[in-house]
Amino acid sequence: MIPIASRKEVAELAGVSEATVSRVLNDVGPLKEETKQRVLEAAHKLGYTPSSLARSFARKRSGNLGVVMPYLPKARLFSAYYFSEILSGIGNKARDEGYDLLMLFRNSDGTMDYSGLFRMRKVDACIVLGAKEEQGELEALRRLKKEGYPFCLINQHFEGEDFPEVDADHVQGSRLAVQHLLQQGFTRIAFLNGPHVYSNSRDRMAGYSSAIREAGLSVDPSLLFEGNFSRRSGVQAASEIAAVLGEIDAVFAANDRMAIGLQQGLYELGITRERMPAILGYDDSDAAELTTPALSSVRVPFYRLGELAAARVLDTQEDGAAEDSPLRIKLPTELVVRASTLN
């Protein structure tokens, strides 16, 4: 008897991914007619019949890749560089694999029932953005892991847990930022960080502190400020930073939106360009080049983070179970120097 072909062989003959083969043969989600015909013809030629798929496709699927977002009232999340880039990367990979995106917003005052999304067959896999270091969040993710559902965190790490995660090296990124400022002759460097419930804020703090101490200096608590990653919080921080302007010569901000808000706020307080401290941001958003002076920043590959997270969870759900050893990817960051930090 001629052996029945594998899904991989069908995919190779049709010139598509294995996930697309699954979508066609299960008639899940929108697909181009040309793609469907190529897959069906390849399956027929190789003797890959629906009956041979029974074990692989025993579970019904929604055809949706879920993306959990934080709910922030009045915040324009989709216009933020961070979210737009990550979502573009996720969406690109999902489209290639024949999946639709289902956007889900967690309650600002409650815990997301991640496992329920799978039990109700709303999603086949899930990517979590904006996870916080909170007990309810941690327990919900532990349940998700225990029940074996495919998921991935982006830009958040829970110490001591084995969740699959895709992140950037924010410790090194912050170290590079502060080292650059020190090399420019700045020694009194203030730090405008984000909330410490996010691991990337703690990582940036670690990088900042490391660079300061490596230079033989001490971390001065009076030079540490906190915003919430919004431009408005940068504007609000301007009054605090203006009050100690005589004691600092540079400010490192944990993202570009706060850095730009700080610039704006200081100008509104009457701080002239000559008195403006050097300001360095983080993310290297499109807006960084449009400020006056142009903003030095740390480039983070957000688009690639989204692509890798989507590839991980879709590959896992096609295999039918989460892997025992979770994926942990940490991509490098890069310093981009512009006029805002040059003497």
Side-chain angles (χ1 to χ4, degrees):
M1 178 181 290
I2 299 175
I4 295 175
S6 68
R7 183 178 60 186
K8 181 178 181 182
E9 289 172 311
V10 175
E12 289 175 350
L13 181 60
V16 299
S17 69
E18 292 182 49
T20 299
V21 172
S22 300
R23 299 273 282 168
V24 170
L25 295 174
N26 283 281
D27 195 23
V28 176
L31 289 163
K32 291 181 179 179
E33 189 61 33
E34 177 188 353
T35 301
K36 292 173 68 174
Q37 288 303 315
R38 287 209 317 271
V39 170
L40 292 172
E41 288 171 8
H44 178 72
K45 184 175 182 179
L46 294 171
Y48 194 52
T49 62
S51 59
S52 70
L53 298 172
R55 287 190 302 274
S56 298
F57 302 124
R59 289 189 305 166
K60 292 182 179 179
R61 293 175 179 168
S62 68
N64 292 327
L65 169 58
V67 181
V68 178
M69 302 273 288
Y71 176 68
L72 303 172
K74 298 183 180 180
R76 297 179 175 87
L77 290 184
F78 296 103
S79 65
Y81 182 80
Y82 170 82
F83 287 109
S84 65
E85 284 291 296
I86 289 178
L87 289 173
S88 293
I90 295 172
N92 181 64
K93 185 62 180 177
R95 180 198 59 197
D96 288 348
E97 298 296 333
Y99 282 80
D100 297 322
L101 289 188
L102 179 62
M103 307 301 299
L104 302 152
F105 291 90
R106 66 166 58 82
N107 295 327
S108 57
D109 57 351
T111 300
M112 191 82 173
D113 180 13
Y114 297 113
S115 297
L117 300 175
F118 289 88
R119 287 194 295 269
M120 291 184 288
R121 292 177 180 165
K122 285 187 175 182
V123 300
D124 300 325
C126 182
I127 295 173
V128 181
L129 298 178
K132 294 181 180 181
E133 189 80 28
E134 296 175 342
Q135 192 59 36
E137 179 83 357
L138 181 57
E139 292 301 326
L141 291 169
R142 283 173 175 166
R143 285 195 298 273
L144 195 57
K145 173 71 177 177
K146 182 178 180 180
E147 293 173 17
Y149 293 118
F151 75 101
C152 187
L153 304 176
I154 293 183
N155 211 40
Q156 177 70 17
H157 173 72
F158 289 87
E159 195 66 37
E161 302 294 334
D162 59 354
F163 303 142
E165 59 191 47
V166 178
D167 205 349
D169 192 344
H170 299 300
V171 174
Q172 180 62 7
S174 295
R175 184 184 290 117
L176 290 172
V178 178
Q179 286 174 342
H180 165 69
L181 292 171
L182 290 164
Q183 290 163 4
Q184 291 296 302
F186 305 117
T187 58
R188 296 288 292 171
I189 303 169
F191 183 30
L192 176 56
N193 200 7
H196 278 229
V197 291
Y198 300 111
S199 64
N200 57 85
S201 294
R202 300 193 297 274
D203 287 347
R204 288 181 177 93
M205 184 66 209
Y208 167 87
S209 301
S210 174
I212 292 291
R213 293 187 177 114
E214 286 169 4
L217 303 172
S218 299
V219 175
D220 185 345
S222 71
L223 301 185
L224 303 179
F225 304 88
E226 184 175 312
N228 63 6
F229 292 124
S230 69
R231 184 189 60 83
R232 184 176 296 277
S233 71
V235 173
Q236 292 170 343
S239 58
E240 296 179 73
I241 290 174
V244 296
L245 207 54
E247 303 172 26
I248 65 173
D249 45 25
V251 182
F252 170 43
N255 76 339
D256 288 350
R257 299 181 92 189
M258 290 197 298
I260 292 168
L262 174 62
Q263 268 187 343
Q264 177 187 349
L266 291 174
Y267 280 131
E268 290 175 354
L269 291 171
I271 306 301
T272 63
R273 184 166 179 178
E274 292 72 28
R275 295 177 57 211
M276 187 74 64
I279 298 177
L280 196 153
Y282 204 100
D283 293 349
D284 193 35
S285 62
D286 294 338
E289 296 184 77
L290 304 178
T291 64
T292 303
L295 185 68
S296 294
S297 189
V298 175
R299 180 172 295 161
V300 182
F302 292 124
Y303 184 92
R304 184 62 177 150
L305 293 180
E307 275 193 321
L308 289 171
R312 157 69 186 190
V313 295
L314 293 178
D315 286 348
T316 300
Q317 79 88 23
E318 285 299 328
D319 292 339
E323 296 178 7
D324 292 333
S325 56
L327 174 80
R328 288 212 180 100
I329 293 177
K330 187 169 286 189
L331 299 183
T333 50
E334 175 189 356
L335 177 66
V336 180
V337 177
R338 300 189 179 94
S340 71
T341 59
L342 296 176
N343 280 323

